[in-house]
Amino acid sequence: MQVNDVVAYIQAGRDRFVADLKEWLTIPSISGDPGRAADVRRSADWLADHLRAQGFPTVEIWETSGHPAVYAEWPAEDPDAPTVVVYGHHDVQPVEPLDEWDTDPFHPVEQGDRLIGRGTSDDKGQILFHTLGLRAGLAASGRQAPPVTIKLLVEGEEESGSAHFAELLRARRERLACDAVVISDTTMWSADVPSMCTGMRGLTEAEVTLRGPSRDLHSGSFGGAVPNPLHAMADLLAALHDADGRVTVPGFYDDVVPLTDEERELFARLPFDEDEWLRTAGDSRAAHGERGYTTLERIWARPTAEVNGMWGGHTGPGGKTIVPAEAHAKISFRLVAAQDPSKIQMAFESWVAEHVPAGVEAEVRVPGGGVRPCFSPIDSAGVRAARRAMERAFGTEVLFTREGGSGPEADLADILEAPLIFVAVGLDGDRIHAPNEHVEIPRLLKGAEAAAYLWEELATALR
Amino acid sequence: MQVNDVVAYIQAGRDRFVADLKEWLTIPSISGDPGRAADVRRSADWLADHLRAQGFPTVEIWETSGHPAVYAEWPAEDPDAPTVVVYGHHDVQPVEPLDEWDTDPFHPVEQGDRLIGRGTSDDKGQILFHTLGLRAGLAASGRQAPPVTIKLLVEGEEESGSAHFAELLRARRERLACDAVVISDTTMWSADVPSMCTGMRGLTEAEVTLRGPSRDLHSGSFGGAVPNPLHAMADLLAALHDADGRVTVPGFYDDVVPLTDEERELFARLPFDEDEWLRTAGDSRAAHGERGYTTLERIWARPTAEVNGMWGGHTGPGGKTIVPAEAHAKISFRLVAAQDPSKIQMAFESWVAEHVPAGVEAEVRVPGGGVRPCFSPIDSAGVRAARRAMERAFGTEVLFTREGGSGPEADLADILEAPLIFVAVGLDGDRIHAPNEHVEIPRLLKGAEAAAYLWEELATALR
Ligand SMILES: [Zn+2]
Ligand SMILES: [Zn+2]
């Protein structure tokens, strides 16, 4: 197979690809809007029809307690070939505020190379490049079936929290058995600096209530002689980080997979402009965080504790000199592999109990089980193979990033017990989840090209 | 003069005294209710008439920009005798919630020794005991004029913040020239443990705003790499006290008049039940405060910093994983003599500026000038004399307390440049400012008796 054959096939298929994508994009599959349930289903049906037309021998609609997913399978010729699940989602974000869109979000418009509309980048455009890439790979190699068994799983609830996805994975675990999961729902560093995601931070949250007197006390009569829950809360939250910006909860870092020298070196090669980043960070005046790590390492690869909200006592206008009965705080922990949300929750609860002064009662409420982090080590065979495919398509070195998010990704890794490989061509600038979402069509075609090379690279690497 | 003569005079005058007081109490002189302005004036007029009838040679209504005060003067026979201002107020608190009163608040009712009604204890009953006591003293001594020049000043706005009192004092400074100010608007430890107030804490307040990013940031993207104003606020407020519960603002204790051994020893003799006190303190589970001081010393004689309110970020239901743009806190400082509210405000502002981390901007807003503390040292000649008068009346040792409050008291001390002496017979149990305010008539008569001895004691002590 010649590179030129794949490229030629993709160039020839460009108009058909764009026409198909535009047709799909007109379906407003907003999973978060109960009034759009029929549209989400239409979107699933459209994809199922498309996949059949593209030659997938098996295409099924998988029902869930919420919106349907689409499953398609194309077995390798070689029964010993590896199996790869490809994950994406066919639902989209809401479009409010509508008046900030320059075009109708569900009537996609081409402006030069740019395609504007809800779902162009997240995630319909990135699912569709796989079918074009797969067909380009088959055409260029003259094969009738891909070099690995492909199991395409496209869920319909990602933008509303993947509420039934773990359930679906558990129910379909046998059918989804695989050697790796390719995820196409992330971004690259930039159009000029292609990159692959290597992990997503997880999350666990806690709400702390500290109780002192049974009612607000007049501070003139009692102030300075009884414990003030606001003082206790300030002490507690101040003690959550040490002078090096490290979280002080015992065991917090125990399960953290450390950054490798190679990953740190590759992160450092990204053209990161800290001043520009601070501007995007709400004009933050200084970077600040765990000592010994760069800003990118802090936001990508290090766990954090962040106070998201804090309140208690008199918060209205004017003064009210009280010792309040209660103080509250909401705290979230960003987790990295291989931290376990429930272990962190338990460690935090014990820490709070030990740090509350006499006379103050503490309650820690944990809403839900949290989100596990996910991780795709850059030295795995699968990631190295996918990186080669990306580099062949983009003709340049592919670097690595990490991202926020995580949710279905961690479920895929954990329930299917397979390594994750992130292959995607979105950009932060695509305005996903915002008005005027768009994508550059040539970028999607690069994605198709990478997908064309991906299966043969993985066929060798995963064998 | 024989003690028995004073006592006999007061016993003989009891019914007249109670009848007069009940008449005055029927006037609803609620200064905080604009609809009661005419009643506050009627109350002033009633008192002026009463004072004239009691023999005061000079009685005037002093107008203010708000409600009128009553001024009465009775010069000593001896032109070299000391001059004493006696302070009280003829306005009363509102009576809501009315349905919690067992009787009509403005139709005073006698139940045995108890007189129930708004103003019985705070402060009409305590003003009126002075005229009875003064006449008893004159009668027993056979004098035509008191042994000190008495200048009675009864304001009409104390219960609504004494808004025009300082103005009045400055305007009438010459007329009010004196050697001491006797204040009759405080409480004793208990009916069995007579005591005198020796100081009131002052107050200054501040609102702190810390600003980080210009808008709330998604903590998944930015958390752990930019300063979080809530963390900075927790650090700041935690640093406000050291491990000994002392306020860390530099210079905070510089002007504090230390407790004397005698005062600490006398405080310690008060029958204070800490467990009972904790129950009244909203069932607080433990006493807590500045190391090295008892609970009474902490609430009476030591300055404090108290966080009254704190808020920032997401405070509603559910989670919202943000790095918030702002954090806020309301802080109040209770001050003791001779701390100056404006010095403390400035020291706090500097301290905040020095304790805010890079990337966080601090603003300290100070609402108003604060309230100066007031102080009546137990070893002053005036206090020792007044204590003798109280001990003669109550026939037992008189101890010392301090109180919250302060406002007109500090103005009297500062503007008239005279020492304060607290002579009063109120009790915490009198339900002042609450439904069913009451007083025991024999207690008011003890006040009259103390007032009868007071002028001759002060005549000697202040000469
Ligand atoms: Zn997506
Ligand atoms: Zn009063």
Side-chain angles (χ1 to χ4, degrees):
Chain A
M1 180 182 111
Q2 296 295 306
V3 165
N4 282 344
D5 294 337
V6 164
V7 172
Y9 185 96
I10 289 171
Q11 280 310 325
R14 179 194 190 281
D15 290 354
R16 180 73 253 156
F17 169 77
V18 172
D20 285 349
L21 178 56
K22 284 166 83 168
E23 191 180 291
W24 193 17
L25 290 169
T26 60
I27 304 171
S29 50
I30 305 170
S31 60
D33 179 351
R36 293 296 192 183
D39 291 311
V40 180
R41 181 166 296 278
R42 272 209 297 141
S43 165
D45 289 340
W46 185 95
L47 177 59
D49 289 343
H50 172 80
L51 294 170
R52 279 182 207 107
Q54 297 293 307
F56 273 85
T58 302
V59 178
E60 298 171 13
I61 301 286
W62 281 0
E63 299 298 336
T64 73
S65 312
H67 300 293
V70 178
Y71 176 74
E73 200 173 312
W74 199 326
E77 270 171 352
D78 176 357
D80 294 332
T83 297
V84 179
V85 163
V86 179
Y87 168 83
H89 60 91
H90 68 90
D91 62 320
V92 297
Q93 276 278 317
V95 292
E96 287 72 29
L98 242 185
D99 58 0
E100 291 183 19
W101 283 82
D102 298 330
T103 63
D104 182 331
F106 296 111
H107 283 90
V109 170
E110 286 179 75
Q111 286 180 352
D113 278 344
R114 177 170 288 188
L115 184 63
I116 306 167
R118 177 57 88 225
T120 46
S121 174
D122 182 21
D123 190 37
K124 286 171 175 170
Q126 303 214 51
I127 294 165
L128 228 53
F129 79 54
H130 274 289
T131 57
L132 177 60
L134 175 57
R135 289 186 57 88
L138 294 178
S141 65
R143 288 205 190 93
Q144 295 304 307
V148 301
T149 292
I150 293 175
K151 296 176 172 180
L152 184 61
L153 176 61
V154 183
E155 74 156 316
E157 297 188 296
E158 200 275 343
E159 299 295 6
S160 53
S162 300
H164 308 95
F165 189 63
E167 197 177 297
L168 182 73
L169 291 179
R170 278 187 212 98
R172 304 286 186 161
R173 210 168 161 278
E174 312 277 291
R175 290 286 300 277
L176 291 166
C178 62
D179 300 294
V181 178
V182 167
I183 291 172
S184 293
D185 190 25
T186 51
T187 58
M188 304 191 299
W189 178 263
S190 71
D192 299 335
V193 183
S195 64
M196 294 166 65
C197 174
T198 62
M200 292 173 171
R201 294 202 288 191
L203 179 70
T204 183
E205 296 175 83
E207 188 170 324
V208 178
T209 300
L210 300 185
R211 297 193 174 86
S214 61
R215 57 184 166 82
D216 292 353
L217 299 177
H218 181 43
S219 74
S221 309
F222 299 99
V226 294
N228 179 329
L230 291 177
H231 297 190
M233 185 62 86
D235 288 347
L236 187 76
L237 299 182
L240 189 54
H241 292 89
D242 68 15
D244 289 337
R246 283 172 68 87
V247 177
T248 57
V249 175
F252 186 73
Y253 294 96
D254 282 1
D255 296 332
V256 172
V257 176
L259 278 160
T260 63
D261 289 345
E262 183 188 6
E263 198 167 12
R264 298 187 81 170
E265 196 261 316
L266 289 171
F267 280 175
R269 276 157 72 181
L270 291 164
F272 175 66
D273 179 337
E274 188 148 284
D275 289 337
E276 174 54 30
W277 181 84
L278 285 170
R279 275 191 288 279
T280 68
D283 296 305
S284 285
R285 295 168 189 87
H288 179 91
E290 188 183 357
R291 193 186 303 261
Y293 293 93
T294 67
T295 291
L296 286 180
E297 288 166 355
R298 286 168 177 168
I299 58 174
W300 285 348
R302 298 298 300 171
T304 65
E306 204 76 42
V307 182
N308 308 120
M310 179 164 87
W311 72 103
H314 177 60
T315 60
K320 199 171 169 193
T321 54
I322 54 168
V323 176
E326 295 190 351
H328 307 265
K330 289 178 195 263
I331 296 152
S332 60
F333 297 90
R334 295 280 162 185
L335 308 178
V336 301
Q339 286 176 301
D340 173 22
S342 56
K343 267 179 78 173
I344 297 297
Q345 286 164 6
M346 277 162 38
F348 179 66
E349 282 178 60
S350 307
W351 179 82
V352 169
E354 278 161 28
H355 277 74
V356 164
V360 173
E361 207 175 77
E363 183 192 337
V364 178
R365 221 174 48 79
V366 172
V371 176
R372 291 184 309 290
C374 72
F375 186 42
S376 172
I378 64 172
D379 46 10
S380 76
V383 171
R384 292 202 187 279
R387 189 186 186 203
R388 280 193 298 275
M390 288 280 282
E391 290 185 336
R392 284 168 66 189
F394 282 90
T396 184
E397 183 185 47
V398 166
L399 295 173
F400 294 103
T401 65
R402 294 201 191 176
E403 290 196 14
S406 170
E409 295 83 1
D411 286 333
L412 284 160
D414 292 355
I415 298 170
L416 304 186
E417 296 175 59
L420 303 181
I421 304 167
F422 292 87
V423 175
V425 298
L427 290 183
D428 275 346
D430 287 350
R431 299 185 59 83
I432 69 165
H433 299 202
N436 299 320
E437 179 179 346
H438 61 261
V439 75
E440 273 69 47
I441 293 162
R443 184 150 42 88
L444 290 183
L445 299 182
K446 283 288 178 197
E449 197 181 336
Y453 308 138
L454 182 62
W455 311 123
E456 63 184 25
E457 292 286 356
L458 286 178
T460 316
L462 299 179
R463 195 171 288 265
Chain B
M1 178 181 112
Q2 297 296 304
V3 164
N4 282 344
D5 295 336
V6 165
V7 171
Y9 185 97
I10 288 171
Q11 281 310 324
R14 179 197 190 279
D15 290 355
R16 180 74 253 156
F17 168 78
V18 172
D20 286 348
L21 178 56
K22 284 167 83 170
E23 191 178 291
W24 193 17
L25 291 169
T26 61
I27 304 172
S29 51
I30 304 170
S31 59
D33 179 351
R36 293 296 191 183
D39 292 310
V40 180
R41 181 165 297 276
R42 272 209 298 142
S43 165
D45 289 340
W46 185 95
L47 178 60
D49 290 345
H50 172 80
L51 294 171
R52 279 182 206 106
Q54 298 293 308
F56 273 86
T58 301
V59 179
E60 299 170 13
I61 301 285
W62 281 0
E63 299 297 337
T64 71
S65 311
H67 299 295
V70 177
Y71 175 75
E73 197 174 313
W74 198 326
E77 272 171 353
D78 176 357
D80 294 331
T83 299
V84 179
V85 164
V86 180
Y87 168 85
H89 59 91
H90 69 89
D91 63 318
V92 297
Q93 276 279 318
V95 292
E96 287 71 30
L98 244 183
D99 58 0
E100 291 184 18
W101 283 82
D102 298 331
T103 64
D104 183 330
F106 297 111
H107 283 91
V109 170
E110 286 180 76
Q111 285 180 354
D113 279 343
R114 178 170 288 191
L115 182 62
I116 305 167
R118 176 57 88 225
T120 47
S121 174
D122 180 23
D123 187 37
K124 287 172 173 168
Q126 304 215 52
I127 293 164
L128 229 53
F129 78 56
H130 273 289
T131 58
L132 178 59
L134 175 56
R135 290 185 58 86
L138 294 177
S141 65
R143 289 206 191 94
Q144 296 304 308
V148 301
T149 293
I150 293 175
K151 296 177 172 179
L152 184 62
L153 177 60
V154 184
E155 74 157 317
E157 297 189 294
E158 201 274 342
E159 300 294 7
S160 53
S162 298
H164 308 95
F165 189 62
E167 196 177 299
L168 183 72
L169 290 179
R170 278 188 211 99
R172 305 285 187 164
R173 208 168 163 277
E174 312 278 292
R175 292 285 302 277
L176 292 166
C178 63
D179 300 296
V181 178
V182 167
I183 292 172
S184 293
D185 190 25
T186 51
T187 58
M188 303 190 300
W189 180 263
S190 71
D192 299 335
V193 184
S195 64
M196 294 166 65
C197 175
T198 62
M200 292 174 172
R201 293 203 289 191
L203 180 70
T204 183
E205 297 175 82
E207 186 171 324
V208 178
T209 301
L210 300 185
R211 296 192 176 87
S214 60
R215 58 187 165 79
D216 292 353
L217 299 177
H218 180 45
S219 76
S221 307
F222 298 100
V226 294
N228 180 330
L230 291 175
H231 297 190
M233 185 62 87
D235 288 347
L236 187 77
L237 299 180
L240 188 54
H241 292 89
D242 67 14
D244 288 338
R246 283 173 67 87
V247 177
T248 57
V249 175
F252 186 74
Y253 295 95
D254 282 359
D255 297 332
V256 171
V257 177
L259 280 160
T260 63
D261 289 346
E262 183 187 6
E263 197 168 10
R264 300 188 78 170
E265 196 262 315
L266 289 170
F267 281 175
R269 277 154 71 180
L270 292 165
F272 175 67
D273 180 338
E274 187 149 285
D275 289 339
E276 174 55 27
W277 181 85
L278 286 171
R279 274 190 289 279
T280 69
D283 297 303
S284 285
R285 297 169 186 87
H288 179 93
E290 188 183 355
R291 191 187 305 261
Y293 294 93
T294 66
T295 291
L296 286 180
E297 289 166 351
R298 287 169 177 167
I299 58 175
W300 285 347
R302 296 299 299 170
T304 65
E306 204 76 42
V307 182
N308 307 120
M310 180 164 84
W311 70 103
H314 178 60
T315 60
K320 198 172 168 192
T321 54
I322 55 168
V323 177
E326 296 189 351
H328 307 264
K330 289 177 196 265
I331 296 150
S332 61
F333 298 90
R334 296 280 161 187
L335 308 179
V336 300
Q339 287 176 301
D340 174 22
S342 55
K343 268 179 76 173
I344 298 297
Q345 286 163 6
M346 276 164 33
F348 179 65
E349 284 177 58
S350 306
W351 179 81
V352 170
E354 279 161 28
H355 277 73
V356 163
V360 173
E361 207 175 78
E363 184 192 337
V364 179
R365 221 174 49 79
V366 172
V371 176
R372 290 184 309 287
C374 70
F375 185 44
S376 173
I378 63 171
D379 47 10
S380 76
V383 170
R384 292 204 186 279
R387 190 185 186 202
R388 281 193 298 275
M390 288 279 284
E391 288 185 338
R392 285 167 67 188
F394 283 91
T396 185
E397 183 185 48
V398 167
L399 295 173
F400 294 103
T401 65
R402 294 203 191 175
E403 288 198 14
S406 169
E409 295 84 1
D411 286 333
L412 285 160
D414 293 353
I415 297 171
L416 304 186
E417 296 176 58
L420 302 181
I421 304 167
F422 293 86
V423 176
V425 299
L427 290 182
D428 275 347
D430 287 349
R431 300 186 56 85
I432 69 166
H433 299 200
N436 299 321
E437 178 178 346
H438 62 262
V439 76
E440 273 70 47
I441 294 164
R443 184 148 42 87
L444 289 182
L445 299 181
K446 284 286 178 198
E449 194 180 340
Y453 309 137
L454 182 63
W455 311 123
E456 61 183 27
E457 294 285 358
L458 284 178
T460 315
L462 297 179
R463 195 171 289 264

